[in-house]
Amino acid sequence: MDELKRLFDAHEKDAWPESLERGSKFEGVEVVMLDADAVGIVHSFLGCSHRLDVHQTKILREIKRELKLLVPKLDSGSRPYFARLERMTDLILREFL
């Protein structure tokens, strides 16, 4: 749990990657929405006794699938930002659900 909280705190403090334009699509994915959806679910998980409902779990699995495909294709300026999101989804799906 400590790792998830630490990653979430770092993500909230980190700036949006300069190499990605807000509102743009990368490989057909709206990266701002992907980020917002992932952060929202992680925030909910951390604030709700480490639980997600069925709908949130389904969305988180979809986000993880998209991140798994997206992260390796990102440039070095954007990759760490989205790799951290991917790690947070991994932690929740593998270790807490």
Side-chain angles (χ1 to χ4, degrees):
M1 186 59 59
D2 291 339
E3 181 183 4
L4 181 61
K5 179 73 171 122
R6 181 182 53 76
L7 290 169
F8 182 76
D9 290 344
H11 195 80
E12 290 224 303
K13 293 175 186 172
D14 204 0
W16 181 258
E18 290 182 17
S19 59
L20 284 175
E21 186 177 327
R22 286 190 179 270
S24 66
K25 287 187 177 185
F26 185 86
E27 296 285 320
V29 176
E30 292 183 35
V31 289
V32 169
M33 291 306 300
L34 184 68
D35 178 55
D37 290 346
V39 168
I41 290 174
V42 173
H43 183 265
S44 178
F45 179 82
L46 288 170
C48 294
S49 302
H50 310 118
R51 295 183 184 175
L52 295 177
D53 63 31
V54 173
H55 181 70
Q56 290 171 314
T57 303
K58 180 182 175 186
I59 292 171
L60 193 63
R61 284 191 175 109
E62 291 172 12
I63 290 169
K64 176 171 173 28
R65 182 180 44 78
E66 288 184 346
L67 286 168
K68 185 176 181 175
L69 296 172
L70 184 72
V71 169
K73 297 176 183 176
L74 292 167
D75 64 36
S76 62
S78 302
R79 192 174 303 123
Y81 185 91
F82 286 92
R84 181 174 48 228
L85 276 180
E86 185 178 20
R87 178 64 183 148
M88 287 189 284
T89 64
D90 279 343
L91 284 169
I92 293 172
L93 291 170
R94 289 185 184 190
E95 297 184 24
F96 301 114
L97 296 181

